[in-house]
Amino acid sequence: MSFAGAVKSFGAVRALRGVDLRISRGETVALLGRNGAGKSTTISLLLGLTEPDEGRVELFGGPPFASVRAGRVGAMLQEGRAVPRVTVRELVTFVAGRYPAPMPVARALELAGIADLAGRRVDRLSGGQTQRVRFAVALAGNPALIVLDEPTAALDVEARHAFWASMRSYARLGHTVLFSTHHLEEADAYADRILVIDGGQIVADGTGEQLKRAVGGSLVALDLAGRGAEGLELLPGVRSVEVRGDRARLRTDDPDATVIALAGLGAIRGLEVAPASLDEAFLALTAREGRAA
Ligand SMILES: Nc1ncnc2c1ncn2[C@@H]1O[C@H](COP(=O)(O)OP(=O)(O)O)[C@@H](O)[C@H]1O
Ligand SMILES: [Mg+2]
């Protein structure tokens, strides 16, 4: 699926300011951004629920609505619908019946991890169980792509793990998954690739490791062993130096060059080199231009 220069405004609010992206079959992609970044708008365009003001959105090489109608895309949107008073199996069976080539209901329940809830009433489930039922509903049409808009936003840690385990078992079959989240750890743990969206633009695209390296740099820490910290900020790659007690922490864009230069200064003690966290990378990426009005 692809976006080319997609722009979308709501009145004076420019929700998307020219989004370009391409997702290939089999990828599990996280759309990571704060509230208001443009995640749900991106997903609405992808599903053909709204049209871009400018640019193009294609799904499986055609207009989104065609793929959605054919059951090639399953979605879990952010706003929940009213919950019917039927059993889990009845609900999934009903939804499956509306698609041309649905997944066997038992299979959808199994993939969503709710086979044991099949006979339970949908309106009497916990938040985590409800989200997995919604996941089974999204799977019912046997889609090749599933789109999940902040599926775990309201769930506790345990329910989140159960949810992502279900998502993984589906993704492992070779299907494509796009999910949005504002939890860094979720993007890092469950996606092959992270798209960072901010102010209606994609500001980064890569694996968690790549984002950490590209933006956050690395941390090099060492014991000062009585020597002062003067001049450390001049070493190659170093962006900033922080001294705590007898220990210096250098943030660097080029840890190899920094360490080699340090070695040139004499004995190094207590050396530690670590990638910056995804948190730091995310903050650096999204602080750059301020946010959309
Ligand atoms: N239907 C709408 N009417 C007016 N403004 C909207 C509408 N939908 C989204 N927006 C605005 O567009 C921006 C992006 O929203 P959204 O895509 O929902 O962000 P996210 O899902 O990342 O939280 C926000 O500023 C939001 O207030
Ligand atoms: Mg949203």
Side-chain angles (χ1 to χ4, degrees):
M1 63 113 156
S2 65
F3 279 55
V7 171
K8 181 73 188 176
S9 296
F10 298 101
V13 179
R14 299 198 69 194
L16 294 188
R17 313 172 174 223
V19 168
D20 293 289
L21 63 91
R22 182 171 287 278
I23 294 175
S24 311
R25 238 166 248 233
E27 285 190 296
T28 299
V29 179
L31 188 60
L32 175 65
R34 311 168 202 257
N35 279 331
K39 303 182 295 296
S40 295
T41 305
T42 302
I43 286 172
S44 297
L45 290 177
L46 178 64
L47 297 173
L49 299 174
T50 49
E51 294 277 315
D53 303 332
E54 289 168 42
R56 255 159 56 128
V57 177
E58 280 193 350
L59 202 48
F60 299 109
F65 73 86
S67 294
V68 172
R69 191 178 300 160
R72 301 178 78 183
V73 188
M76 256 176 83
L77 298 180
Q78 218 170 355
E79 75 278 11
R81 306 222 181 100
V83 180
R85 299 161 115 203
V86 296
T87 66
V88 170
R89 184 186 289 106
E90 284 165 347
L91 176 64
V92 178
T93 304
F94 171 76
V95 175
R98 298 166 62 196
Y99 288 102
M103 181 180 290
V105 170
R107 181 86 182 114
L109 297 179
E110 184 201 327
L111 276 172
I114 51 170
D116 54 330
L117 301 178
R120 296 271 297 277
R121 261 179 55 178
V122 172
D123 56 340
R124 298 201 182 143
L125 299 173
S126 72
Q129 290 168 336
T130 302
Q131 284 304 73
R132 280 184 285 147
V133 170
R134 296 181 69 215
F135 187 56
V137 165
L139 293 177
N142 198 19
L145 165 69
I146 201 138
V147 180
L148 313 165
D149 196 2
E150 300 207 36
T152 60
L155 304 186
D156 62 28
V157 175
E158 210 172 314
R160 268 186 204 180
H161 281 299
F163 183 86
W164 290 120
S166 303
M167 185 280 282
R168 286 289 236 206
S169 55
Y170 170 79
R172 247 182 256 119
L173 300 171
H175 298 304
T176 314
V177 178
L178 174 67
F179 69 86
S180 74
T181 180
H182 58 261
H183 293 290
L184 293 156
E185 322 82 60
E186 288 192 343
D188 203 17
Y190 301 110
D192 308 325
R193 178 178 162 204
I194 300 174
L195 299 170
V196 179
I197 185 167
D198 190 47
Q201 285 178 315
I202 305 289
V203 295
D205 178 356
T207 64
E209 282 309 314
Q210 285 168 340
L211 298 192
K212 288 173 216 171
R213 265 204 306 274
V215 187
S218 298
L219 286 172
V220 173
L222 72 158
D223 291 335
L224 288 168
R227 149 162 47 93
E230 302 79 48
L232 292 181
E233 74 279 3
L234 301 175
L235 295 179
V238 173
R239 268 198 246 167
S240 65
V241 178
E242 189 192 317
V243 177
R244 275 190 214 155
D246 192 39
R247 206 157 164 77
R249 284 158 56 87
L250 319 183
R251 180 169 296 283
T252 170
D253 294 327
D254 189 347
D256 298 339
T258 304
V259 169
I260 289 166
L262 273 171
L265 295 180
I268 301 180
R269 284 212 258 149
L271 184 72
E272 259 180 295
V273 182
S277 68
L278 191 60
D279 259 308
E280 292 167 303
F282 182 71
L283 285 175
L285 283 164
T286 55
R288 208 176 277 158
E289 300 174 38
R291 278 186 258 163

